Structures are given as structure tokens and as C-alpha cells.
Amino acid sequence: MELYKNHALLAYNTFGIPTQAEYFIEINNLSELQNILDDTVYKTMPKLILGGGSNILFTKNVKGLVIKNNIKGLITHTASPDSVLLKAQAGEIWHQTVLHTVANDWGGIENLSLIPGNIGAAPMQNIGAYGIEIKNVFYELEALHIATNTLQTFTLADCEFGYRESVFKNKYKNEFIIISVTLKLTTSGHHSYSVEYGAIKQELEQMQTTELNLKNISTAICNIRNSKLPNPAVLGNAGSFFKNPEIGAAQMQALKNNFKDIISYSLPNGNYKLAAAWLIEQCGLKGYQLNNAAVHSKQALVLVNKGNASGQNVLELADFIIKSVQDKFNVILTKEVNIY
Ligand code: FAD
Ligand code: NAP
């Protein structure tokens, strides 16, 4: 375990923003982590936990200690004839874990293929794509309480998962370090596939695939994502910058009267979800560039670093988008990416 002072964060965030951590450490097991939390020098410092840095925008140098959680390991238990419990340590790469489940014919997270980042961050915003969220397969997680340096177990109910939300982003913000996540997955012959969302069916047709299985669904989703989302290794970004806004029925009707083609999805609570990308596009901002930050030309919900953008450049663009959407639609976009 090595500790660095004034450590460059460029390689640790997919936006490619060049800031520094006052102190930086990579930990590989629980005792290393607990030792550093007990250390009198670092105990009182503010702490930022880092996974793959794919949902973060750094806007300044980070004060205190940045802890990169690299704890690895996967353990499987048989839960019942139709399910397995997969316990993954926080430092495991999410997509590699998805591929591992698909290869073993364990179902439940194939729709979450190719989401960047690590296991430990996945519950933070209840990662979701193509109609599935981690909460659908969540069993429990272990997290270290920073103040007391003790491990706690969180059940599904404890996590208070919502749309791109959890207790760790809200009530317990900065209080816990997620150490492991256990998922309950279906075994062969017991899968229930979810292919109604977005362009999955069209892609499966394009692939000329007749058989519905985990591998084909995962491949279809990887194909769609590769065709429209920028690869952070080539063009810095942190995925969707904004959440899809939820509005009430009266506001939905008013918007429909003015914007006949508006894209919306009805929700079980009677509200409506709007496609934020559509709102941004209608403001004429798809591909729009401000200083060194831009709206991605293939997916307007993604903001990209055109090279040498600062975190402030990205924030200014985000604020301009929020104002434009509010002026045109009277809808307020909220940021999904964690700003530091
Ligand atoms: P980081 O960016 O490192 O951290 C994110 C937040 O979690 C930070 O606040 C951090 O402090 C905290 N954190 C990280 N690890 C821990 C831990 N062990 N304990 C406590 N706190 C922790 N997201 C989706 O939901 N769906 C998508 O389809 C999706 N697609 C994406 C596509 C692209 C191209 C990109 C770049 C991003 C996408 N994302 C998506 C966003 C992102 O990949 C996910 O939110 C992912 O889970 C973030 O993981 P990370 O390890 O990179 O987290
Ligand atoms: P898309 O398929 O073009 O759809 C646009 C939006 O419409 C999505 O945001 C999605 O909402 C919603 N949607 C589509 N079909 C729906 C349905 N049948 N029922 C309800 N809502 C529906 O979206 P995309 O940009 O290519 O992304 C595909 C999926 O990957 C989405 O689920 C998206 O959230 C996810 N994704 C997330 C990130 C991120 O960083 N968070 C980045 C890229 C992709 P939802 O977003 O609520 O699902």
C-alpha cells in the first residue's frame, strides 16, 4: 500500500480532467483500509472513495485523502435450485463481472453489460440500463462505516434504492465505504429475459439471432452501446450527465399540447418520465460545444471533453443546458454525475 501526496487524478476519471488529490492511496484488502482509517494523521481528513472514476466530475483539486478501492474477489454460493448468490468485492470491474455471469449462465445483469466502473460504486446510484437496475438482483452489501471503522450489512430495504439513487448518495453520503456486493442471480432454465426496452429487439434481429439467451442479449446491448456512446478512452465522458426528469400528469398534458412529439414514459406512480436527451436535442444543443466541453453528437445526454476541458468548462456547459431546457420546456434537469 503506497501513499502519495499531490497525486494527479487524470488517469483516475473517465472525463479526463487534470486535477490532484492532496493525499492518494490504493488499498487492496480490508485490513489495509481499516489501518488507514485508524491512522491518527488521516483519521480526521475528508475522504473521497474512488472506483473507476466513471461517474465523477472533478472541478478542483481534492482536499484530504482519496482512497481507490481495489479489493478483488468473487465468491458464489448456491441459494436454491433456481438461483445463485454471487458475492463480488468492490474493486472488481462491473462489466467483467457481467461477462463472468453470462459465461456461467447466471441471469439478471446481462442488460447491464458494458457499464463502466467497479462493483463498489454500482449500488451508489442503483445503476440501471435497458429496464433493469441493480436493485432487481440485489441481495445485500457490506460497507465500512468510516467514523467507527466497523463493517455493516445492508439489505435491499436498507439501501433505499430509487431511480439512480440510494441511501449512500443521500442520507449516508460520505459515511460508508462499500466493500462487497452480493447479487441473487437465476440459474439455467430459470431466467426471465427483458428485451422490450430501447432497441434490443431490433439489434437481436440485426444479429439474425433466433435464440434468446444471456449471451445474445449481452452482445446486443454491447453492440447498441458501442454504436452510440463515446468510449471514454477516446473521448472523455462520464455517461449520462443528467437524469431523465419525472413530472406530474398535469405538466405532461401541458407539454403535450405544445410539443406533440415529446418522448415520455408513464410511471407506476402516475407521473411521467421524460427523455432528457430529447429535450436537449430540441434546444438545438446536440453536438453543441462551449469552450472545450461539448454535447455528444450521437447521444445528447452525454457531455464530452473535447480535449483539455476543465471541470469548470463542463459545469458551465451543463448549466447552460439546464437553463436552455428550463426556458423552453419549464422542466429542470438534475445532474446524475457526482461533482467534486
Ligand atoms: P466512481 O465514478 O469511481 O464513483 C462514483 C461515486 O461513487 C462517487 O461519489 C464515489 O465517491 C462513490 N464510490 C465509488 N466507489 C465507492 C465505494 N466502494 N464505496 C462508497 N462510495 C463509492 N451508469 C448507469 O447507471 N447506467 C449506465 O448505463 C451507465 N452507462 C455509462 C456509460 C459510460 C460511457 C460512462 C462513462 C458511464 C456510464 N454510467 C452508467 C455511469 C457509471 O459508469 C456508473 O455509475 C458506475 O457505477 C460508476 O462506477 P465507478 O466505479 O466508475 O464509480
Ligand atoms: P434510449 O434507448 O435511446 O432511450 C432514451 C431514454 O428513454 C432512456 O433514457 C430510457 O430511460 C428511456 N426509455 C427507452 N425505452 C424505454 C421503455 N421501454 N420504458 C421506459 N423508458 C424507456 O437510451 P440510450 O441513451 O441508448 O440508453 C440506453 C439505456 O442505457 C438506458 O436505460 C440508459 O439509462 C442507459 N444508459 C445510462 C447511462 C448513464 O450514465 N446513466 C449512460 C448510457 C446509457 P432510462 O434512462 O430511465 O432507462
Side-chain angles (χ1 to χ4, degrees), residues 247-257 262-264 272-274:
I247 60 169
Q251 190 178 4
M252 186 68 243
Q253 192 52 55
L255 280 170
K256 265 191 186 148
N257 293 342
I262 191 163
I263 298 179
S264 66
Y272 290 82
K273 177 178 74 176
L274 300 177

Side-chain angles (χ1 to χ4, degrees), residues 154 158 166-176:
F154 287 75
D158 296 333
S166 76
V167 77
F168 303 104
K169 248 184 131 174
N170 295 293
K171 193 165 73 186
Y172 295 147
K173 195 173 165 68
N174 300 327
E175 288 188 33
F176 285 91

Side-chain angles (χ1 to χ4, degrees), residues 49 51-55 116-118 121 124-125 127-128 178 225 237 239 340:
I49 317 305
S54 65
N55 203 5
N118 295 359
M124 288 297 293
Q125 72 158 16
I127 55 167
I178 295 172
R225 294 181 73 104
N237 76 91
Y340 290 97

Side-chain angles (χ1 to χ4, degrees), residues 15 24 30 52 61 69 94 134 139 154 195 216 233 242 270 300 303:
F15 246 124
F24 181 93
L30 184 58
N61 289 339
N69 185 338
W94 175 265
I134 192 174
Y139 185 74
F154 287 75
V195 294
N216 286 339
F242 304 101
L303 304 189

Side-chain angles (χ1 to χ4, degrees), residues 76-332:
T76 320
H77 303 282
T78 304
S80 69
D82 55 5
S83 65
V84 289
L85 294 179
L86 175 66
K87 179 176 180 176
Q89 301 295 325
E92 290 290 338
I93 309 262
W94 175 265
H95 180 58
Q96 294 303 327
T97 310
V98 174
L99 294 181
H100 178 72
T101 65
V102 169
N104 283 283
D105 206 14
W106 299 328
I109 52 174
E110 58 283 358
N111 287 36
L112 305 180
S113 295
L114 218 58
I115 297 182
N118 295 359
I119 289 283
M124 288 297 293
Q125 72 158 16
N126 179 26
I127 55 167
Y130 299 97
I132 297 293
E133 296 173 327
I134 192 174
K135 78 168 186 194
N136 300 124
V137 292
F138 183 88
Y139 185 74
E140 65 180 23
L141 66 76
E142 289 173 309
L144 194 64
H145 185 228
I146 295 175
T148 57
N149 209 349
T150 53
L151 267 187
Q152 292 186 23
T153 301
F154 287 75
T155 63
L156 178 65
D158 296 333
C159 291
E160 297 178 17
F161 288 128
Y163 169 65
R164 306 287 188 264
E165 291 293 347
S166 76
V167 77
F168 303 104
K169 248 184 131 174
N170 295 293
K171 193 165 73 186
Y172 295 147
K173 195 173 165 68
N174 300 327
E175 288 188 33
F176 285 91
I177 303 174
I178 295 172
I179 302 297
S180 73
V181 179
T182 303
L183 307 175
K184 190 173 181 180
L185 304 168
T186 51
T187 50
S188 193
H190 301 280
H191 306 317
S192 82
Y193 303 117
S194 173
V195 294
E196 299 305 318
Y197 213 86
I200 305 178
K201 274 191 172 161
Q202 292 97 298
E203 181 56 33
L204 286 167
E205 272 165 34
Q206 286 243 317
M207 286 162 57
Q208 297 184 325
T209 302
T210 47
E211 195 191 346
L212 210 52
N213 59 33
L214 304 181
K215 174 96 178 50
N216 286 339
I217 294 172
S218 173
T219 303
I221 282 170
C222 291
N223 291 348
I224 304 170
R225 294 181 73 104
N226 281 328
S227 72
K228 60 201 285 199
L229 290 172
N231 176 353
V234 179
L235 197 56
N237 76 91
S240 302
F241 200 87
F242 304 101
K243 293 184 196 173
N244 286 324
E246 182 175 331
I247 60 169
Q251 190 178 4
M252 186 68 243
Q253 192 52 55
L255 280 170
K256 265 191 186 148
N257 293 342
N258 290 325
F259 306 97
K260 303 244 169 319
D261 300 331
I262 191 163
I263 298 179
S264 66
Y265 299 91
S266 57
L267 298 172
N269 64 3
N271 287 344
Y272 290 82
K273 177 178 74 176
L274 300 177
W278 187 88
L279 301 175
I280 297 168
E281 250 181 275
Q282 296 302 305
C283 292
L285 294 176
K286 199 172 188 178
Y288 176 79
Q289 182 166 348
L290 182 65
N291 298 312
N292 293 321
V295 179
H296 186 48
S297 54
K298 290 187 185 164
Q299 168 46 290
L301 208 45
V302 178
L303 304 189
V304 295
N305 178 354
K306 296 292 271 190
N308 303 320
S310 66
Q312 285 302 333
N313 287 158
V314 178
L315 261 194
E316 279 160 27
L317 174 63
D319 289 340
F320 179 71
I321 293 167
I322 291 171
K323 184 170 183 323
S324 305
V325 169
Q326 188 174 7
D327 288 349
K328 190 171 172 89
F329 298 102
N330 194 26
V331 170
I332 299 176

